[in-house]
Structure formats: C-alpha cells, structure tokens
C-alpha cells in the first residue's frame, strides 16, 4: 500500500473504526497486563470493554450524515460490487467459520472449572453466636482498641496467633500466598489488597474469622472457602488480637461505622 | 408504514432481549432463606412428623436411652403388648391425653416415671425449642397412634416461652447449647444427663464407670478425647457396654463448655 | 404481649397465610400487577408535570405550539388513568387473596391512609376531567390561568396519592426500629409508620424519576409520530416534540443520581446489613447491569443531541469537538462498568491472585465510579450547552470573557471531581463517603452557574439561521425508542432491587415471608420478569396512543390553517 493510499485510509471512517477497535483490543489484552503490578484481564471484562468501545465507535461513525454515508461505502461495495466477488466469497467463508468457531468454543467440554462469581463480601448477620454467646456485630468495634496502652502487647499476641494458625494459607507477607495457597479455590484472602480488609469493619473480619468457610451464607458460594471455623480453636481475645495485627501489619485502617444521626419521627437508628 | 412499525417493534424487542441476555449471562445467585425450624400455623402433620423424626434421632439424642429399652422404655417398639409409644401413651396416666402425657414427660420428666425405671431423664424443654418439642411429640404419636399436634400448639408454646426471640438471622440455627451456654460444669453435667449412667460424688447411676476419681485414671486430654469420641477407649470391665455412650456430646456443647467440663472432671482425683 | 396481639395472632393463625395463583404462581402475579401498575402510575404522574410545564411555557412564552402539545398529552392521560386504576385493582385483589395474612397486617396499620388514598384518587380523576374537557372553554386571559391552576392541582393530588402509597412500601422496607414481630399492628400510630426512614428519600426519588419517565415516553410517542408523518411540516412538529421530551428527561436524569444517593445513605443508616446486601451482597451484580443501562442512557442521549446538531445552522463550528466528548463518555462508561469482583475462570483467578484484578480492580471501587459518573454528567451538560449555543452567536460585549469563565468553571468542576476521586484511594472509607458530596456539589454548582451565564449571554444573540426541524435521520428517532425502553427497564430493575433487599421478609425484621417464594430470585429470572412487565406496559401504551390517534389524528396544524384560527384539524 502506498503512502497516499494509507493516508486516505486513515481518514476514512470505516478504517478508523476498525483501527480503534484493534488498538483497544491490543491495549486491553496485551498492554494492561504489562503494566507494573498488573495481571491478565479476564475474558468477561475484555468482552465488556470491547462492547463499550464498539458502541462508542458506532456512535462516532453515525452521528453525522456525511460520515455515516462514507462509513457504509466499503460495506455496501463489498456486498454489491461485481469486482469484489473474491473478497465477498472470502468474507462469507471467514464469517461462517468464525460463527462455527464461537459455537464450538461454547459447547466444547473442558476440564477447567466454569467461571464463577463469589460475593467476596457477603452481607454479615446482625449478630452471631460465638461459643454459645450472642455477639451483636452491628456497630461493634475491636474491644482491644479501648486499651491503647497495651496495644503493643496485643499486637505481639496477634502476631503469635497469626504465625501459629494463619501462615500456611495467608502467607508470610499476608498476601494470600502461603505454602498451601495454590491448592485452594477460592484462594486465601490477600490482606495487602485494597479490596479485602481495607474495605471492611473489624466486626466483619471477626465474623469471617470466627465462622470461616462453613459460616458463609449462600451468596459466598458456589465453592465454600476452606477457612476453618476459628471459634473452635481460638478465643475471642485471640481473634481480636490477630485482627489488630492484620491491620497493623498491612497499614490499612479498618472501615468505621457511620455516625448514626438522631432522627425525628421515630427514625430511630441508634437504639436497638 | 408497516416497515416502520416492524422496525420499532424490532428495536423494542431487541433492546429487551439484550438486557435480559446480559442479566442471564452473569452468574446467578439467589438469596438465602435461613433454615430455621419454623412451623407456622398451617403446618401439616406430615411436616411435623418429618421434623420430629430428625430431632428425635439428631439434636434431641433420644435413642441414646430410649432406643435400648434398658435405661428407659423403648419408644419405637412394642412394650408388653401395649404397642409402641403412639399406641400406649394415652393409657399411661389417668386423665391425660396422649398429647398431654408426652408433653409432660418432656417438660417435667420426673412427674411420672414408668415403673421399673429411674428418674434420669433431663428436662428436654430446656434444650429444645417449642417447635422441636412439638414436632417430637408429633413423631412419637405417629408411632402407632394418630397425630393431633397442630400449628396452634407450637404458636401457644412459643408465646409461653420467655425470651422466645424472633428468628435470628445467621449464626447456627436450632438446638440450644446445654444449660443456655453456661460454663458451670455442674450445670452442664445436669443438663447433659451424665448421671443417668455415671456416678459422680455419690450421685447418679452405676451403669457406666464411676467418675468420682476419674482424674486419677485419665488426664484432661484423655477425658476430652473420650467425650468427643466415646469409642476411642473403653474402661476395663465395661467392654460390653461399648457404644452406649452418645457420640453427640461434642456437637451439643460449645468449646468453652467442653473445656470447663474436662477441667472439672480432671480435677476429680 | 397484650390481649389484642394475642387475639390478632389467633385470628392470623386461623386464616390462611398464602394463596396460590394458577400457572405463573402468586409471586409472579403480584410482581407483574405491581410493576405494570407502577409504570402506569409513573406515566400518569410524570405526564401531567410535563403538561403543566409545557402549558406554562405556552402561556408565558406566547408560543401556542406548547399549549397544543400539552393538550395532546392530557388526552392520552384519560385512558392511561383507567389503565392505572385497573392494574391497581388487580394488585389489591391479588394481595388480599394471595397474601391475606400480610395484607391484614398492612391494613391494620394503614387503613385510614388507604381511605384517604381512594378519596384523593377520586378527586384527582375529576380534576383531570375538568382539566381536559375545559381546555377549549377556558382558553383566554384569567380563565386560562385558572385552567393552568387545575393542572397544578392535578399534580398536587397525584403527588399526595403517590406519597401515601410510598409510605406503605417504605414501611415494609424500613419499619421504625421500635416495632418488633410481637408489636400489635393496631397499636402502631399511623404517622409513626408513615414517616419511616426511607419514606422521604423514596418520595423525592420517585417524583424526579416520574419526570424522567414522562419525558422519555413523550419522546417515544413523538418519534413514532415522526416516523409515521406524511408531510415535512408534521415531521418538523414531532421532531420538535421529541426534542422537548428528551430534553426534559435528560435534565431530570442528571439530578436523579443525587436523590438515589440520598436513598442509599438512608438505607445504610437504617440497617447496615441491608445496605451491604444491596451493594455488596448477592445483589452486587445488579449494579453492574444498572451501570450498563445508565451508560446506554448517557451515550444514547448524547447521540441524539449530536445527530440533532445536523439540523442546526451554525452547529458545524462545534462538530469537531463532539468526538472528544464521546471519548470521555466511553472511558467513563468503561470505568463505570468495571466490576469490583470479576467473573473469571480458575486460570485467570490464579493469575490475578483472587477475583480482584490487581490493576483494574482500582477502577471497581466507589471512588472511581463516582468520578466517572460525575464526569459523564458534566460531559452531557457540555453537550447540551454546545447544542444550545450552536444556533446563535452572542452579541453581549463580555461574550468572550463569559465563555472563558464558563470554560474555567468546567475545568474547575472536573478538577475537583478528579482530585477527590484520586484522593479517595488514600483515605479511610468513612471520609471517602463524604468526598462524593464534594464531587456532587462541584458538578451541581458548575451546572447552575454556567447555565446562568449562558442565559445572560444569549440575550439578543444573533441567530445563524432557522433550525430545520424535521431534518433528522430515522436512526435518531430509534435512539429515542431505545431511551424509552431503557428508562422503563431500569425502573423495573430498580424496583426489583428495592423490593429484593428485604429478602425473606414481608416487613423487614418484623414479618417474615414463610411462603415458598421467600427467597429473592436470581437476576436472570428477575430480568425475564422485568422484560415481560415492560413489554406488557409498552403494548398497552401503544394501544393508548393508538386510541388517541383514533379520536383525533394529530395536533399538528398546517401553517395555513393555523393562521385561520388555530383550530385542531384532523389529518
């Protein structure tokens, strides 16, 4: 292709549209994973991004009469013009093959587990039974934080609890990369990630530690986590101290409870 | 004009189809309804009986004593020609219907004790919810008799029970821990009915080994193991009775209760 | 427990708790009747607002086109009213036969308000009759103002009726905290039950949403008439009507997220676990779907405006810039739609180290989404501004300075939004929630001040030629259809969200749903129900429009006849 022809193509809406789609695909599939600390983008998200870009491209080529007419030119030409018979035939074969391929991909059996959605942060119950005692989770703070003077002691205790119990799965760096981690689905939580404990109240973490995988509501399935029910092995204080340790070590601050306003007309929020 | 109409219809249907497709493509999650034993007013006898059978064999732990016929009457088989419990319950106590008799024996077991047996049965209404109690009664009635327990009985019992809380969301449903979770070892022993077989400090039966000096024979670890897995070790001279001690105590007690009990027994040297 | 409660309990126990509806089941029946009733109700509340506003523009602006537009819609209201009443009656009969115990509970608390509801509905209907049939009678001077007052009254009654109905359903969602399962419903003070935590937020949210909905349906009506039009003049009339409908829908849509935000906050304050169920629990995927729909609305709305620039002489000056707006919108849609928890197979999960993407996951959190949606709102507003400006050249001496100030305001608002969006990553959640308020305030104040400047600047502006109404390609009209369908579907979806977060409760933590339909269904099933409801509604609305056309073909009046006396002439 000569330089002027290339330039003409670059200003033609049809080839612009194709170009934008190709570039977007390259960016999402190959460039994003190259960024520091990044990883491959799941297929579902690639599809979602590409559909959004496609809609944008279609809007671009059709929001102006002249551009829309030019955009349609090559398509109409391929469909109708006699001199493009070969292109038409090739296109027909390629499109048919593509549809077949997609259909095959949908029905072919694979050994991989199907994609699944677990709700990482299922809604916690308002109260739980911890070793036969009721604990109200709503509005609950870490009781150990009420004694700032002995915080260092609690942290040391929490550290011990962590290294005795949590290390094999959650790892030395608290990043969910323990020795056994690769054997689990779902993977152990990565506390360093900004999407786990950084988003949660300490009472939520307490609930998850105390009740473990068996205590997950159904929205946390299909595959229940292998996290044990730690209330059978740890005391309440040990759990609170290990939570203290998690936040201290990762540098996250726990989510705090919203200040409940004093409402009128029985909009009671604080009392219950 | 028809072309326009068709196009409009096509666009509307296409948009709807697209949205429906997307919503169906994502993983489907239904909300969860807590599986508490809630027996409403319109509960059928079949439902009660089915629920009662589960309680009888499961959380209630009834076959421990009532399945053998040595420590307590066997409820599911014929007794001296009077038939299983559903058939004989109405004739046990004068003036008490089958339902009343069964409720009394669960609520106040010492009020009437069948001749030839000891008053060793724990008060079941302290351990089981009204729903569970009434479903057990329905199950027992179904053994050779007619079921006349209705949803009303459950509703009434629920109102009488102080502190009958609304279904608590989450947590472990059903079956209360022994003695309302108390960690007083004496209360646990009382509620668990240990003395129905064992003797401790001069009280209780002699079916199973005397526990008064158990701490001298076993250490805490061994006692804990024995409670959690009774088949793990059998005391000398009691081999024939292996398998009688219920295996369910571990699941019926909280960890704290178990620990309190173990330490208490280990202290009996 | 009081004797009254015991009696009530006994009565409740002796009545059947649930009925069953053949084939589709009790829940599906209630779902369909409630949703279609609600859509019609939104229609008959949204369209009068539209009618009163356009009538006022006609009266005070002196443009008679608006008056006719207003009347054309009031005519459609008459049939829509009976449709609303029919579906409402079906809903009430459905509730009392399929959910008798729950219905008894609700009536025990709300009976007086239900009587008031019925009475007001009657008054409202008669106001509507007077409003429509008196249109040509009270046409001039004082009488016209009186007629307009009737329109305002119509809206007032309608709004009160809606507020009353809202109190019932918000009570189901957020009963005051002192009400427990053992509270005797007859002892609950009516006002106490009405003024519950989510009542006002829902009221405000629904009023705004009704305006959006009314505008969208008007737009769809006009676009259909446009496509069916026989002459250029008729096409011009309906093109203009579609534009007005779309304009009203989009303007109200811009404020709707703020009302939704208030509602969400109240839900969180009322019960944190309800809030988490809504945003992070099994419903979290609903918000990805909602994000998709909102992105469709923004893109389609802007698309319509940009195509519309084709009919405006002078718009070619701004054409080159729309592609940058489009880029912002597409990027915004991408961020706005990025899920926090991604669907991935096990290999992808292992590579990502969990279902949060280590890099894109940062786009899935609230900070990013708030930033994206605020920028999308700003962009849409800018689109409107360019559209408005397209036809004119300002003549006021400070025009240049004014434009620079407007630009600076946009830049400032975008800067504030971005600043707090990025800063949100470095602060704890409780502070982050507060940031969204600053973002919203920046955007809102930008919209207000820029509009004021623009209105002042447009004084005596020089026109660059008449707008060629009707010079629109058919795809612009299909865009209006997509808007209307999307609005309606979105309404169904949000209704499912609001009602679904109660999960297995009829009345949250007061009255449990023990029927076999207690579990909230998955989104796939819900989407089928929503599509079905939208289809029923749109089919009936098409029928209503067709009826309107039977009586009187159109309100379009050819220019020659208009000079003759402005009577409505059928085609």
């Amino acid at each position: 292709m000569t330089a002027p022809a290339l330039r003409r193509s670059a200003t033609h809406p049809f080839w612009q549209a194709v170009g934008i789609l190709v570039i977007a695909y390259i960016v999402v599939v190959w460039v994003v994973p190259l960024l520091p600390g990044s990883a491959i983008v799941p297929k579902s998200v690639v599809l979602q991004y590409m559909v959004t870009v496609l809609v944008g491209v279609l809007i671009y080529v059709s929001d102006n009469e002249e551009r829309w007419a030019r955009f349609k030119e090559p398509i109409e030409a391929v469909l109708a013009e006699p001199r493009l018979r070969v292109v038409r035939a090739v296109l027909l074969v390629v499109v048919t093959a593509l549809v077949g391929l997609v259909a095959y991909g949908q029905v072919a059996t694979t050994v991989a587990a199907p994609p699944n959605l677990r709700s990482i942060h299922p809604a916690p119950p308002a109260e739980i039974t911890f070793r036969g005692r009721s604990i109200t989770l709503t509005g609950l703070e870490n009781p150990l934080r009420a004694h700032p003077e002995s915080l260092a002691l609690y942290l040391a205790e929490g550290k011990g609890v962590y290294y005795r119990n949590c290390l094999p799965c959650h790892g030395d760096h608290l990043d969910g990369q323990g020795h056994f981690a690769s054997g689990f689905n779902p993977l152990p939580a990565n506390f360093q990630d900004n999407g786990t404990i950084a988003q949660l109240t300490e009472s939520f973490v307490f609930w998850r530690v105390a009740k473990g995988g068996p205590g997950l509501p159904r929205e946390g399935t299909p595959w229940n986590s292998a996290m044990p029910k730690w209330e059978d092995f740890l005391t309440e204080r040990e759990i609170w101290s290990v939570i203290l340790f998690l936040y201290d070590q990762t540098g996250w601050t726990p989510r705090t409870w919203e200040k409940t306003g004093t409402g009128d007309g029985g909009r009671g929020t604080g009392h219950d | 004009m028809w072309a326009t109409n068709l196009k409009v219809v096509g666009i509307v249907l296409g948009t709807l189809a697209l949205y429906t497709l997307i919503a169906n493509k994502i993983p489907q999650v239904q909300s969860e309804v807590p599986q508490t034993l809630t027996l409403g007013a319109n509960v059928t006898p079949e439902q009660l009986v089915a629920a009662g059978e589960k309680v009888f064999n499961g959380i209630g732990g009834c076959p421990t004593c009532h399945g053998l016929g040595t420590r307590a009457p066997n409820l599911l088989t014929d007794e001296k020609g009077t038939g299983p419990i559903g058939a004989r319950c109405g004739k046990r106590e004068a003036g008490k219907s089958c339902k009343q008799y069964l409720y009394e024996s669960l609520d106040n077991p010492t009020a009437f004790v069948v001749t030839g047996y000891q008053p060793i049965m724990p008060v079941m209404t302290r351990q089981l919810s009204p729903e569970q109690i009434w479903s057990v009664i329905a199950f027992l009635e179904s053994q050779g008799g007619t079921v006349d327990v209705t949803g009303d009985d459950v509703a009434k019992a629920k109102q009488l029970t102080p502190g009958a809380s609304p279904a608590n969301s989450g947590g472990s449903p059903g079956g209360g821990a022994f003695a309302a979770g108390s960690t007083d070892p004496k209360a646990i022993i009382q509620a668990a009915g240990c003395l129905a077989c064992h003797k401790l400090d001069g009280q209780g039966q002699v079916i199973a080994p005397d526990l008064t000096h158990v701490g001298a024979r076993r250490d805490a670890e061994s006692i804990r193991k024995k409670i959690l897995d009774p088949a793990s070790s059998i005391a000398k001279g009691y081999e024939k009775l292996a398998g009688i001690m219920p295996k369910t105590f571990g699941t019926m007690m909280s960890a704290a209760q178990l620990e309190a009990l173990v330490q208490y027994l280990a202290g009996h040297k | 427990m009081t004797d009254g409660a015991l009696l009530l309990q006994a009565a409740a126990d002796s009545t059947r708790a649930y009925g069953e509806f053949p084939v589709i089941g009790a829940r599906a029946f209630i779902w369909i009747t409630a949703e279609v009733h609600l859509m019609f109700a939104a229609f008959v509340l949204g369209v009068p607002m539209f009618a009163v506003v356009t009538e006022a523009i006609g009266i005070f602006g002196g443009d008679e086109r608006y008056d006719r537009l207003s009347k054309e819609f009031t005519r459609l209201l008459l049939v829509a009213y009976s449709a609303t009443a029919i579906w409402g009656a079906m809903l009430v009969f459905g509730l009392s036969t399929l959910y008798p115990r729950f219905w008894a509970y609700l009536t025990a608390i709300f009976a007086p308000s239900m009587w008031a509801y019925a009475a007001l509905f009657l008054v409202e209907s008669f106001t509507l009759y007077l409003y429509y049939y008196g249109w040509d009678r009270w046409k001039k001077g004082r009488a016209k103002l009186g007629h307009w007052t009737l329109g305002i009254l119509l809206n007032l009654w309608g709004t009160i009726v809606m507020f009353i109905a809202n109190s019932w359903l918000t009570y189901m969602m957020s009963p005051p905290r002192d009400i427990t399962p053992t509270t005797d419903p007859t002892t609950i003070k009516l006002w106490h039950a009405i003024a519950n935590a989510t009542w006002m937020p829902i009221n405000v949210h629904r009023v705004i949403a009704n305006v959006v909905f009314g505008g969208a349906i008007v737009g769809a009506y006009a676009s259909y008439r446009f496509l069916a039009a026989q002459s250029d003049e008729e096409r011009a009339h309906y093109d203009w009507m579609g534009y007005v409908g779309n304009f009203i829908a989009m303007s109200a849509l811009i404020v709707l997220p703020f009302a939704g935000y208030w509602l969400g906050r109240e839900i969180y304050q009322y019960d944190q676990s309800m809030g988490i169920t809504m945003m992070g629990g099994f419903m979290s995927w609903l918000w990805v779907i909602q994000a998709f729909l909102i992105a469709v609305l923004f893109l389609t709305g802007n698309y319509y405006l940009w195509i519309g620039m084709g009919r405006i002489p002078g718009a070619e000056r701004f054409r080159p810039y729309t592609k940058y707006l489009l880029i912002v919108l597409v990027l915004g849609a991408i961020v706005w739609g990025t899920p926090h928890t991604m669907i991935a197979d096990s290999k992808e999960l292992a590579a990502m180290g969990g279902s949060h993407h280590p890099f894109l996951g940062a786009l899935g959190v609230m900070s990013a989404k708030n930033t994206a949606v605020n920028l999308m709102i700003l962009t849409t507003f800018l689109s409107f501004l360019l559209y408005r400006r397209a036809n004119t050249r300002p003549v006021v001496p400070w025009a240049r300075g004014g434009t620079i100030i407007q630009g600076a305001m946009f830049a400032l608002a975008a800067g504030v939004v971005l600043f707090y969006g990025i800063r949100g990553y470095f602060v704890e959640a409780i502070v982050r929630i507060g940031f969204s308020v600053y973002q919203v305030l920046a955007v809102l104040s930008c919209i207000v001040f820029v509009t004021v400047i623009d209105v002042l600047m447009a004084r005596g502006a020089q026109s660059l030629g008449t707008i060629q109404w009707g010079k629109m390609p058919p795809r612009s009209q299909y865009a209006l259809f997509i808007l209307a369908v999307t609005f309606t579907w979105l309404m169904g979806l949000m209704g499912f969200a609001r009602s679904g977060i109660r999960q297995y409760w009829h009345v949250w933590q007061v009255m449990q749903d023990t029927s076999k339909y207690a579990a909230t269904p998955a989104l796939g099933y819900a989407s089928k129900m929503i599509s079905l409801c939208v289809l029923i509604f749109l089919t009936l609305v098409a029928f209503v429009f067709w009826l309107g056309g039977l009586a009187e073909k159109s309100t379009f009046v050819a220019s020659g006849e208009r000079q003759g006396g402005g009577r409505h002439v059928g085609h």
Side-chain angles (χ1 to χ4, degrees):
Chain A
M1 209 183 253
T2 58
L6 205 65
R7 205 174 308 126
R8 212 167 40 245
S9 303
T11 54
H12 193 285
F14 182 79
W15 297 111
Q16 283 178 337
V18 172
I20 293 170
L21 284 174
V22 170
I23 292 172
Y25 189 78
I26 291 173
V27 167
V28 175
V29 177
W30 285 294
V31 178
V32 169
L34 286 181
L35 296 173
S38 188
I40 55 164
V41 183
K43 284 188 209 68
S44 65
V45 179
V46 173
L47 181 71
Q48 186 191 332
Y49 285 178
M50 290 311 294
V51 167
T52 316
V53 173
L54 177 68
V55 169
V57 164
L58 284 179
I59 286 179
Y60 169 68
V61 296
S62 72
D63 72 354
N64 174 311
E65 272 308 284
E66 187 205 355
R67 200 184 293 139
W68 181 233
R70 282 187 69 201
F71 174 77
K72 286 189 294 188
E73 267 169 20
I75 302 171
E76 281 162 358
V78 167
L79 289 177
E81 276 191 34
R83 66 183 172 88
L84 291 173
R85 194 182 302 129
V86 181
V87 180
R88 186 153 58 238
V90 169
L91 212 63
L92 190 68
V93 172
V94 168
V95 168
T96 316
L98 263 179
V99 171
L101 215 62
V102 170
Y104 175 77
Q106 298 260 321
V107 296
T109 40
T110 61
V111 287
N116 72 93
L117 173 86
R118 289 176 68 246
S119 180
I120 303 296
H121 306 146
E127 64 168 39
I128 58 170
T129 324
F130 184 85
R131 294 191 175 186
R133 198 166 64 79
S134 272
I135 294 181
T136 307
L137 289 182
T138 315
L140 182 66
E141 303 283 353
N142 191 337
L144 301 187
R145 288 196 194 273
H147 311 284
E149 68 285 353
S150 358
L151 217 55
L153 179 78
Y154 297 139
L155 277 174
E157 190 182 319
K159 189 173 185 176
V161 172
Y162 184 86
Y163 278 93
R164 271 194 307 278
N165 302 287
C166 319
L167 178 75
C169 302
H170 292 285
D172 207 6
H173 300 291
L174 284 71
D175 56 357
Q177 300 285 322
H179 298 91
F180 300 158
S182 58
F184 295 124
N185 181 16
L187 294 163
N190 171 2
F191 302 126
Q192 302 281 6
D193 187 89
N194 70 358
T196 59
I197 56 171
Q199 302 278 339
L200 301 168
T201 59
E202 288 186 298
S203 74
F204 189 103
V205 181
F206 182 85
W207 170 56
R208 292 309 327 130
V209 174
K211 295 294 177 185
L216 272 178
R218 200 194 299 169
E219 59 201 71
T221 53
W223 288 295
N224 268 342
S225 112
M227 174 104 163
K229 244 174 117 175
W230 287 104
E231 66 170 337
D232 292 347
F233 309 99
L234 300 177
T235 63
E236 198 177 336
R237 177 174 154 161
E238 281 172 328
I239 295 181
W240 282 124
S241 69
V242 80
I243 291 171
L244 216 54
F245 169 73
L246 290 185
Y247 281 102
D248 182 71
Q249 193 72 9
T250 56
W252 299 118
T253 38
R255 193 186 190 108
T256 38
W257 293 93
E258 284 205 33
K259 305 276 177 297
T260 47
T262 43
D264 53 345
R267 222 182 61 202
T269 45
H271 58 90
D272 186 4
Chain B
M1 194 58 221
W2 275 111
T4 309
N5 281 341
L6 277 179
K7 267 190 200 165
V8 168
V9 170
I11 284 199
V12 169
L13 288 181
T15 315
L16 290 181
L18 175 71
Y19 295 160
T20 314
L21 180 78
I22 294 174
N24 276 282
K25 269 288 172 196
I26 58 161
Q28 301 295 307
V29 196
Q30 240 197 9
S31 89
E32 194 176 10
V33 180
Q35 294 298 317
T36 41
L37 184 60
T38 42
L39 304 172
N42 52 350
V43 66
T44 63
E46 290 75 31
Q47 286 172 322
L48 279 168
V49 170
E53 187 172 0
K54 276 193 197 137
V55 176
F56 185 86
N57 291 312
I59 193 96
C62 313
T64 306
C65 296
H66 290 287
L68 287 167
T70 50
R71 274 171 289 165
N74 190 321
L75 300 175
L76 308 184
T77 58
D78 176 59
E79 191 196 61
K80 296 168 198 154
T82 52
I85 185 70
R88 66 186 187 237
C89 55
K91 301 163 202 153
R92 284 285 201 207
E93 256 187 291
K96 278 212 161 67
S97 72
C98 176
K99 196 159 83 171
Q100 286 165 330
Y101 169 72
L102 288 175
Y103 186 80
E104 183 197 67
S105 56
L106 288 162
D107 188 44
N108 186 8
T110 49
F112 177 87
V113 180
V114 179
T115 344
Y117 295 98
Q118 300 296 318
I120 57 172
M121 180 160 158
V123 177
M124 298 310 289
T125 44
R126 286 206 203 135
Q127 296 178 30
L128 302 177
S129 71
E131 280 103 338
Q132 289 169 326
I133 291 287
W134 281 106
S135 56
V136 164
I137 295 175
F139 169 68
L140 294 177
E141 284 183 339
S142 76
Q143 302 299 310
T146 44
V147 181
D148 58 355
V149 178
T150 65
D152 281 354
D153 293 313
V154 181
K156 264 182 235 151
K158 269 203 285 197
Q159 284 160 13
L160 293 173
T161 316
S165 59
N168 80 15
S169 44
S172 52
F178 280 137
S182 158
T183 48
D184 174 14
K186 283 182 185 151
I188 298 167
I189 288 169
Q190 168 69 32
C194 304
L195 301 184
C197 300
H198 293 281
K199 202 178 190 83
L200 182 65
D201 297 335
Q203 287 181 357
Q205 305 298 310
V206 289
I207 301 167
D210 189 333
L211 296 179
T212 312
H213 302 293
V214 67
R217 300 195 299 271
R218 292 172 179 268
D219 60 1
E221 184 58 37
S222 167
I223 295 173
R224 188 183 298 119
K225 201 168 174 191
K226 173 75 188 169
I227 294 173
L228 293 175
D229 182 11
S232 60
S233 62
I234 308 294
K236 244 193 161 118
Y238 291 88
E239 289 85 354
K240 276 186 184 169
L241 296 171
I244 285 186
M245 178 155 164
K247 298 178 182 66
T248 52
F249 288 126
T251 57
M252 294 162 86
M253 267 182 276
S254 70
Q257 285 184 313
L258 176 68
E259 224 32 54
L261 181 61
V262 167
Q263 296 306 333
Y264 177 74
L265 291 176
H268 275 73
K269 298 219 163 134
Chain C
M1 188 181 284
T2 62
D3 290 351
L6 274 174
L7 274 175
L8 204 98
Q9 180 74 35
D13 283 349
S14 62
T15 56
R16 169 179 71 92
Y18 299 104
E20 184 56 355
F21 195 81
V23 187
I24 56 170
R27 175 171 67 186
F29 181 79
I30 295 294
W31 192 328
I32 293 170
T33 47
E35 190 61 61
V36 178
H37 169 66
L38 190 109
M39 283 168 180
F40 266 109
F43 181 74
V44 300
L45 288 173
V47 172
M49 286 184 214
F50 187 88
V52 164
V53 171
T54 40
E55 193 186 5
I57 297 175
I59 295 172
F60 302 111
D63 189 343
E64 219 187 304
R65 280 190 306 174
Y66 284 97
D67 194 61
R68 278 199 310 281
L69 177 65
S70 180
K71 191 186 171 192
E72 183 164 3
F73 272 95
T74 311
R75 191 180 65 218
L76 300 176
L77 275 181
L78 291 175
V79 190
Y81 247 80
S82 41
T84 314
I86 292 166
W87 284 90
M90 278 161 72
L91 174 61
V92 170
F93 289 138
L95 277 175
S96 55
T97 53
L98 302 175
Y99 290 84
R101 172 131 47 116
F102 165 66
W103 183 243
Y105 177 83
L106 217 54
T107 44
I109 303 172
F110 286 107
S113 71
M114 288 171 175
W115 304 327
Y117 182 90
L120 269 169
F121 199 79
L122 196 78
V123 173
E124 192 190 357
S125 304
F126 277 91
T127 312
L128 175 67
Y129 299 149
L130 284 176
Y131 187 56
Y132 177 67
Y133 290 104
W135 205 291
D136 292 328
R137 181 76 178 258
W138 302 308
K139 221 175 155 51
K140 293 256 149 48
R142 290 271 266 311
K144 184 66 184 167
L145 281 180
H147 181 257
W148 184 58
T149 314
L150 274 180
I152 293 176
L153 279 180
L154 183 64
N155 276 292
L156 185 67
W157 305 142
T159 307
I160 299 175
V161 161
M162 183 185 76
F163 279 21
I164 294 176
N166 285 350
S167 72
W168 308 332
L169 61 96
T170 51
Y171 174 81
M172 289 166 68
M173 214 169 135
S174 56
R177 279 301 190 186
D178 54 318
I179 294 170
T180 64
T182 50
T183 310
D184 175 3
T186 51
T187 61
I188 299 171
K189 292 263 191 307
L190 181 62
W191 180 248
H192 186 52
I194 289 178
N196 60 72
T198 55
W199 184 51
M200 251 319 143
I202 287 257
N203 286 343
V204 171
H205 195 272
R206 281 194 162 173
V207 165
I208 300 172
N210 286 342
V211 178
V212 178
F213 190 65
I217 296 291
V218 166
Y221 171 77
S223 64
Y224 181 74
R225 285 302 185 114
F226 176 92
L227 292 171
Q230 304 292 330
S231 69
D232 280 349
E233 265 186 298
E234 196 177 353
R235 210 167 285 131
H237 174 72
Y238 285 112
D239 180 18
W240 168 79
M241 184 195 276
Y243 166 73
V244 174
N246 182 53
F247 177 80
I248 290 182
M250 294 305 283
S251 320
L253 179 70
I254 284 177
V255 271
L256 197 54
F258 307 136
Y261 176 77
W262 180 29
L263 175 60
R265 244 191 109 73
E266 284 296 328
I267 291 175
Y268 260 95
Q269 289 225 335
Y270 173 75
D271 191 326
Q272 191 104 352
S273 76
M274 195 187 222
I276 294 176
T277 301
M278 177 173 74
M279 299 308 298
F282 79 100
M283 282 208 160
S284 54
W285 269 92
L286 187 144
W287 303 102
V288 178
I289 306 277
Q290 189 228 23
F292 174 78
L293 292 173
I294 294 203
V296 168
L297 289 179
F298 272 116
L299 286 169
T300 320
N302 279 285
Y303 179 59
Y304 178 79
L305 279 181
W306 295 334
I307 297 186
M309 284 185 166
R311 65 185 170 215
I312 302 176
E316 56 285 347
R317 291 173 296 161
F318 299 122
R319 290 291 341 192
Y321 302 111
T322 56
K323 59 174 170 287
Y324 301 114
L325 301 183
L326 178 63
I327 291 173
V328 174
L329 283 177
V330 168
L331 289 179
I334 282 179
V335 173
W336 173 241
T338 302
H340 190 206
T341 307
M342 294 176 179
I343 306 178
D345 59 35
S346 49
K347 219 172 73 194
E348 291 165 341
L349 282 177
M352 294 193 297
S355 47
H356 294 144
H357 193 278
F359 180 75
L360 295 176
L363 301 181
V365 295
M366 221 53 226
S367 285
K369 298 209 186 288
N370 279 340
T371 308
V373 80
N374 276 307
L375 288 180
M376 284 166 88
I377 290 175
L378 268 184
T379 311
T380 307
F381 175 63
L382 188 57
S383 263
F384 261 120
L385 213 63
L386 292 185
Y387 184 93
R388 239 183 83 87
R389 189 73 70 81
N391 191 228
T392 56
R393 180 175 290 128
V395 290
V396 286
W398 48 274
R400 198 180 158 70
T403 309
I404 292 173
I405 293 174
Q406 282 180 321
M409 278 177 166
F410 268 107
L412 186 69
V416 169
V417 168
L418 277 173
F419 172 76
Y420 281 112
I422 293 168
R423 193 153 158 64
Y425 286 98
F426 302 103
V427 296
E428 59 171 321
I430 193 84
V431 184
R432 187 160 60 235
I433 293 170
F435 280 0
S436 54
V437 177
Y438 304 139
Q439 292 181 317
V440 163
L441 283 179
V443 170
L444 275 187
S445 45
C446 169
I447 290 176
V448 169
F449 287 120
V450 169
T451 308
V452 168
I453 294 178
D454 214 55
V455 168
L456 293 177
M457 205 152 50
R459 276 196 193 152
Q462 169 200 356
S463 169
L464 297 175
T466 25
I467 299 178
Q468 295 152 309
W469 290 111
K471 195 188 147 202
M472 285 288 264
R475 35 174 213 290
S476 65
Q477 305 303 311
Y478 295 129
L480 286 183
F481 272 107
I482 293 178
L483 278 178
V485 173
T486 308
F487 274 126
T488 319
W489 210 86
L490 191 55
M491 210 160 95
L493 184 73
M494 292 298 98
F496 168 65
R498 188 193 52 69
S499 168
I501 51 171
R502 289 199 317 269
Q503 296 182 278
Y504 52 91
W505 298 95
H506 287 315
V507 180
W508 179 251
Q509 291 183 350
V510 171
M511 187 179 202
Q512 198 171 340
D513 184 348
T514 53
S515 73
K516 62 176 168 176
Y517 300 116
T520 308
L523 209 49
Y525 174 81
S527 70
K528 287 177 202 159
M529 292 298 293
I530 295 165
S531 289
L532 182 67
C533 293
V534 172
L535 205 59
I536 294 175
F537 171 72
L538 289 180
T539 311
L540 289 174
V541 161
F543 179 68
V544 169
F545 286 170
W546 180 72
L547 281 184
L550 269 190
E552 204 173 357
K553 265 285 181 237
S554 122
T555 50
F556 159 68
V557 183
S559 52
E561 292 163 288
R562 196 185 299 166
Q563 285 155 3
R567 284 196 13 247
H568 301 269
V569 179
H571 279 254

